[in-house]
Amino acid sequence: MDDLDRRILATLQRNNQLSFAELAEAVGSSPASCMRRVNKLRSNGVIVADISLVDPKALGKSLTVVVTVQLDRERLDLVDDFKRAMRAANEVSQCYMVTGDADFVLVVTVDDVEAFDLFVKTKLYTNPNVRKFQSMITLDRVKFEPRIRV
């Protein structure tokens, strides 16, 4: 990956709706070169998805909670079961397997405290492998920049 690829990635992370002509102008290249490079970045798995980021509050999801989860047993099948359950949980927007005191960190986005309580009761308390969890209700989103510095 060279400097032009990095400029293309940085530009696409800010706005992936640009035409190849607009992208080329932004990075100082030709549209054909940008198209070839973007296609190569996609086929090589550098670009994994083209998505739209949605503000949860605009959809009525006014409560974001960061939850750390500690599993009781760390057998591979039980860890896989937990991962599967979190992938299926609509309330979970992000799930990370981590090192340290917690095994997982979840970002849960819901309508209100009652909806979070329902999530806890149906997804965490009912899971026999969840030893304990800690919830942190967010007060303010200070930074939300889903891009990687390239």
Side-chain angles (χ1 to χ4, degrees):
M1 185 176 327
D2 62 13
D3 185 57
L4 179 56
D5 287 333
R6 287 182 184 82
R7 290 195 316 269
I8 288 171
L9 288 172
T11 302
L12 289 176
Q13 286 184 106
R14 284 189 297 279
N15 182 358
N16 72 348
Q17 296 294 304
L18 297 174
S19 69
F20 286 116
E22 292 167 323
L23 179 61
E25 184 176 327
V27 299
S29 185
S30 72
S33 174
C34 285
M35 184 172 66
R36 278 192 307 275
R37 285 171 179 263
V38 168
N39 288 336
K40 185 175 179 185
L41 290 166
R42 284 187 177 120
S43 67
N44 288 343
V46 176
I47 297 174
V48 296
D50 291 295
I51 62 170
S52 296
L53 297 174
V54 178
D55 183 351
K57 288 183 181 179
L59 300 177
K61 308 292 183 192
S62 61
L63 185 65
T64 300
V65 185
V66 177
V67 181
T68 60
V69 178
Q70 193 176 79
L71 299 181
D72 193 36
R73 294 169 302 280
E74 295 184 359
R75 288 189 354 229
L76 184 57
D77 60 327
L78 297 174
V79 170
D80 287 343
D81 287 346
F82 185 80
K83 288 179 182 179
R84 210 172 0 267
M86 293 305 101
R87 282 189 198 104
N90 290 331
E91 303 89 345
V92 177
S93 62
Q94 298 174 59
C95 177
Y96 301 93
M97 187 173 179
V98 297
T99 61
D101 292 335
D103 296 307
F104 288 89
V105 174
L106 314 175
V107 177
V108 177
T109 308
V110 291
D111 295 347
D112 51 30
V113 172
E114 290 79 17
F116 181 68
D117 186 49
L118 182 62
F119 166 79
V120 166
K121 288 176 180 172
T122 61
K123 304 297 191 309
L124 298 180
Y125 283 145
T126 60
N127 187 321
N129 197 33
V130 172
R131 177 183 302 153
K132 67 180 184 176
F133 62 91
Q134 180 178 13
S135 305
M136 296 166 277
I137 294 175
T138 64
L139 300 175
D140 186 19
R141 182 169 70 189
V142 177
K143 182 177 182 180
F144 182 69
E145 189 174 330
R147 55 180 155 232
I148 298 170
R149 300 285 182 217
V150 288

